[in-house]
Amino acid sequence: MPDYQLYCFAQSGNAYRAALMLNLIGADWKPVYVDFFKGGETRTPKYRAEVNEMGEVPVLVHGDKKLAQSGVILTYLSEHSGKFKPEGEDERLEALRWIIFDNQKVSGYLGPYRFLRTLAKPPGHPAVLEFFKGRIDNVLGILDKRLATRPFVVGAEPTIADLSLVGYLYYPPEEFGFDITAGHQNIAAWLNRIKALPGWTHPYELMPGYPLPQ
Ligand SMILES: N[C@@H](CCC(=O)N[C@@H](CS)C(=O)NCC(=O)O)C(=O)O
C-alpha cells in the first residue's frame, strides 16, 4: 500500500497540482482514477458520501487523513516534506495570496474555458467563452508582470504557489485554442524552470484517463 493515494484524472489541472507535488517530493503515491467524464463519478451520492462532500478532485488520502482542495493538499505536503514550503510569515501569506488568486482567477478561468471549449458536449456558448477569454488575458498579464522581477512567484525558490499556478499551463495549446506563452515571455521562462525540476512529469503521463475514450 503506497503512503499516499490521490483521487484524480488526467484532464484535471486542479488535480495535477497535487500529483506534480507528490512526484517532485519523491513521495510514494498512486493515483485513484475518478471517472469524471463518462461516469460523472464526482456527482454521485457515493462519491460525495465516501470521498468528498464537495464533489471534486483532487482528494489526497494519507493514513487516516482525507484532504480536499488542492491548496490544502499542497500546504499539507509542504509541511510534511519541508519542500516547496514558503518560509516565515511573509512568504507564507504571499504564497497563500497567489494560491487563492490562482484558484479563483488563473486556473479558475482557464479550467472552465478549456472544458467548455474542448471537452463539454455540446460546447459552451461563444459569449461565455469570450467572457472567460477576456478574463484569462487579464490574469495572464498580471502573472507575467509578477514573474518579470523574480524567478518564481514568491521569490528565488519554487514554492507551492508556483505548483498551484502551473495547474493548467502544461496542457496542449490546441485545447485552449491559443498559446498561453505567446506574448508572455516571463511565464514561458518560468514554465521551463519548473519543467526542469527533477520529477517533473506532464499531466497526461502522471494521471490516468488520457486519452479519453471516444
Ligand atoms: N478549488 C478546487 C477546485 C477543484 C475542482 O474544481 N475540480 C474539478 C475537476 S478539474 C472537479 O472535480 N469538478 C467536479 C464537478 O464539477 O462535478 C481545488 O483546487 O481543488
Side-chain angles (χ1 to χ4, degrees), residues 9 11-15 17 36 42-43 48 55-58 68-71 103 168:
F9 55 88
Q11 293 77 12
S12 171
N14 290 308
R17 301 187 188 103
F36 169 81
T42 51
R43 304 212 168 109
R48 291 183 179 195
E56 294 179 337
V57 301
Q69 289 297 335
S70 60
N103 274 227
Y168 280 89

Side-chain angles (χ1 to χ4, degrees), residues 143-205:
L143 181 59
D144 197 64
K145 184 157 178 257
R146 172 76 178 185
L147 290 166
T149 54
R150 65 204 81 209
F152 297 99
V153 166
V154 170
E157 299 297 329
T159 67
I160 51 175
D162 300 279
L163 302 186
S164 185
L165 281 153
V166 300
Y168 280 89
L169 303 184
Y170 291 111
Y171 287 101
E174 310 82 74
E175 296 183 358
F176 296 96
F178 68 99
D179 182 355
I180 284 162
T181 59
H184 298 121
Q185 60 178 35
N186 302 313
I187 291 180
W190 165 74
L191 287 174
N192 283 334
R193 282 193 284 277
I194 292 172
K195 205 170 171 177
L197 296 172
W200 181 91
T201 306
H202 190 274
Y204 286 152
E205 285 171 42

Side-chain angles (χ1 to χ4, degrees), residues 8-154:
C8 60
F9 55 88
Q11 293 77 12
S12 171
N14 290 308
Y16 178 54
R17 301 187 188 103
L20 180 60
M21 172 90 178
L22 286 163
N23 239 40
L24 292 175
I25 66 175
D28 173 26
W29 73 283
K30 85 161 203 280
V32 179
Y33 178 60
V34 175
D35 179 8
F36 169 81
F37 289 100
K38 267 226 149 66
E41 194 177 335
T42 51
R43 304 212 168 109
T44 60
K46 184 171 160 58
Y47 188 88
R48 291 183 179 195
E50 293 175 10
V51 184
N52 182 4
E53 65 186 334
M54 294 177 179
E56 294 179 337
V57 301
V59 172
L60 182 75
V61 179
H62 184 212
D64 55 11
K65 272 211 161 37
K66 193 177 277 176
L67 302 173
Q69 289 297 335
S70 60
V72 171
I73 295 170
L74 290 175
T75 303
Y76 178 79
L77 291 173
S78 74
E79 284 171 1
H80 275 252
S81 67
K83 294 178 182 162
F84 301 101
K85 187 174 173 204
E87 293 299 343
E89 185 179 52
D90 288 350
E91 277 198 10
R92 242 184 9 254
L93 293 175
E94 195 59 0
L96 180 59
R97 188 166 78 99
W98 282 94
I99 288 171
I100 292 171
F101 182 70
D102 170 52
N103 274 227
Q104 189 193 355
K105 294 192 169 170
V106 182
S107 300
Y109 294 138
L110 278 166
Y113 179 78
R114 164 173 163 267
F115 177 76
L116 290 174
R117 181 186 179 278
T118 304
L119 299 166
K121 289 185 182 123
H125 191 282
V128 176
L129 290 172
E130 198 185 321
F131 169 83
F132 275 123
K133 181 63 167 63
R135 295 292 176 125
I136 288 166
D137 290 343
N138 180 49
V139 294
L140 289 179
I142 291 169
L143 181 59
D144 197 64
K145 184 157 178 257
R146 172 76 178 185
L147 290 166
T149 54
R150 65 204 81 209
F152 297 99
V153 166
V154 170

